[in-house]
Amino acid sequence: MNPTVSEVEKEAQAQLKDIGSREDLEAFRIAYLGKKGKLGELMARLKTLSAEERRDWGREVNRLKGYLEESLRTLCESLPDASTSEGNFDETLPGIRPAVGKLHPISQTIREICRIFGRMGFAVVEGPEVETEFYNFTALNISLDHASRDSFDTFYTDSGSLLRSQTSTVQIRVMEKNDPPLRIIAPGRVYRPDTVDASHSFMFHQIEGLMVDDKTNFSELKGVLYWFLRELFGSSTKIRFRPHFFPFTEPSVEVDIQWGDKGWLEILGAGFVNPKVFEAVGYDTKKVRGFAFGLGVERIAMLRLGIPDIRYFYENDLRFLRQF
Ligand code: PHE
């Protein structure tokens, strides 16, 4: 016996009550609305009916179809989503925090130093790490047979270029292209023929500064460095200037800060730009004067952050890096 529309409807209503999961719902949908489903069977019977009967039959089947589709939609919304572990989703649990990276302590220190000099009007300039002998030595008044060249001779390429041993090279490049007045600082990597230990590395970071105009004097050099060091290490930091020698500055100094019971610690080199350096870049030595300074970023970061060994910076150990 073929069931009538209302028989199918009653049967469906009874089954709808028992649906408790998405799988039940899908099985129901296939049984009634699927290709070979019960509704299709009802529709197929149209052709066995007379023209009059057809109209009523068709209307009834369509009504039932609408009712079933609507029931399915409502149930679908009220049933738990399979992807939230069968409804055990607890929205009060804390979320999963995405891992957010941060800057390496060396980068943090470079940014901090650049920020301080930026407030004094110094622009940040970068230059190449592979340099010619002209920029690394000759223009800086370091002659071929100069004693200080031994500690600066780094890794040469076949074409005679070398890894720069100081970022003073950038000062030469800037002066070649620009006329004074100038105020720049040059952060970057430098290379030295040093044996690695707790305080030395064959590669480290430097920041060098240069200020050139027609009237700058030694008090200004002292003023700039005092302000910088007190911004960095605290306003009560004690600072000392000691005479020193650098081929590219004359007179030259080394600057120390007092560091707890460790006494005086050398923190940077500085001096008035040697006229020979101005000659190398084509400046008129009678009209321009300026000062330069250079410091090691690692040394400053180690002091400020209390890091005992320079090698920690380069080992990429997250247990170390996460502390800063
Ligand atoms: N270039 C020097 C060094 O690497 C530092 C320095 C820079 C000294 C500029 C004086 C002037 O040690």
Side-chain angles (χ1 to χ4, degrees):
M1 254 299 280
N2 288 322
T4 64
V5 177
S6 61
E7 277 165 356
V8 173
E9 183 167 2
K10 279 209 187 84
E11 191 195 355
Q13 279 169 338
Q15 286 186 15
L16 277 169
K17 278 198 212 105
D18 292 335
I19 289 178
S21 71
R22 299 223 158 207
E23 292 85 73
D24 292 352
L25 194 67
E26 182 60 6
F28 178 89
R29 189 190 65 76
I30 291 167
Y32 284 84
L33 298 166
K35 248 191 210 154
K36 292 179 184 155
K38 299 193 185 205
L39 237 72
E41 275 168 33
L42 290 175
M43 269 313 203
R45 294 237 295 281
L46 272 178
K47 25 183 206 308
T48 66
L49 301 172
S50 69
E52 263 163 71
E53 288 168 320
R54 267 185 204 180
R55 208 179 27 149
D56 286 351
W57 185 264
R59 190 173 350 96
E60 277 301 287
V61 175
N62 271 329
R63 190 191 53 75
L64 177 58
K65 190 174 174 218
Y67 163 75
L68 291 179
E69 282 172 349
E70 183 57 34
S71 309
L72 280 176
R73 210 173 301 127
T74 324
L75 266 173
C76 186
E77 276 161 24
S78 64
L79 282 173
D81 190 339
S83 66
T84 57
S85 12
E86 303 292 326
N88 289 332
F89 179 69
D90 179 353
E91 71 262 293
T92 65
L93 284 175
I96 299 165
R97 220 179 258 272
V100 179
K102 54 181 170 175
L103 289 175
H104 190 281
I106 292 298
S107 302
Q108 290 180 28
T109 309
I110 290 176
R111 289 204 182 187
E112 171 73 0
I113 294 171
C114 290
R115 191 187 61 80
I116 296 171
F117 281 109
R119 285 166 63 196
M120 289 190 275
F122 285 77
V124 177
V125 190
E126 284 180 305
E129 283 173 44
V130 180
E131 271 292 7
T132 63
E133 289 194 308
F134 174 75
Y135 290 105
N136 203 62
F137 298 120
T138 320
L140 291 165
N141 194 35
I142 307 174
S143 57
L144 262 175
D145 50 4
H146 197 286
S148 77
R149 187 152 164 169
D150 284 352
S151 56
F152 282 169
D153 263 331
T154 61
F155 307 90
Y156 281 79
T157 67
D158 288 342
S159 60
S161 299
L162 76 162
L163 294 177
R164 67 180 176 193
S165 53
Q166 47 194 340
T167 52
S168 317
T169 53
V170 182
Q171 303 175 7
I172 305 299
R173 290 180 173 276
V174 169
M175 287 195 282
E176 275 183 337
K177 293 222 171 73
N178 302 277
D179 288 327
L182 287 176
R183 264 186 233 185
I184 57 140
I185 49 169
R189 286 192 192 92
V190 298
Y191 303 82
R192 301 268 169 103
D194 283 347
T195 305
V196 177
D197 64 22
S199 52
H200 293 86
S201 168
F202 53 86
M203 184 283 300
F204 60 96
H205 298 76
Q206 253 193 349
I207 296 186
E208 294 231 349
L210 174 73
M211 176 162 159
V212 185
D213 59 27
D214 55 357
K215 59 180 187 306
T216 183
N217 57 40
F218 212 91
S219 317
E220 280 175 356
L221 165 60
K222 285 183 92 171
V224 164
L225 294 179
Y226 263 88
W227 197 72
F228 161 65
L229 290 169
R230 290 192 167 147
E231 278 291 298
L232 198 63
F233 290 108
S235 55
S236 55
T237 306
K238 288 218 167 55
I239 297 157
R240 175 173 88 172
F241 283 66
R242 247 183 319 107
H244 196 72
F245 171 80
F246 293 110
F248 28 85
T249 47
E250 180 63 33
S252 304
V253 288
E254 273 192 333
V255 184
D256 304 332
I257 60 168
Q258 199 157 49
W259 197 257
D261 51 9
K262 284 210 177 100
W264 293 102
L265 291 185
E266 185 232 314
I267 209 80
L268 53 81
F272 255 73
V273 179
N274 192 315
K276 292 200 175 124
V277 174
F278 285 145
E279 273 166 25
V281 298
Y283 277 6
D284 182 345
T285 53
K286 291 201 187 65
K287 287 194 184 135
V288 298
R289 41 199 289 146
F291 60 79
F293 51 89
L295 53 88
V297 177
E298 275 79 351
R299 187 164 170 72
I300 286 183
M302 285 165 82
L303 282 175
R304 287 181 84 214
L305 304 171
I307 297 164
D309 194 317
I310 197 171
R311 288 166 288 198
Y312 289 145
F313 288 126
Y314 315 122
E315 285 169 348
N316 241 352
D317 187 336
L318 290 179
R319 291 169 303 176
F320 168 73
L321 294 172
R322 282 204 178 103
Q323 301 176 77
F324 309 106

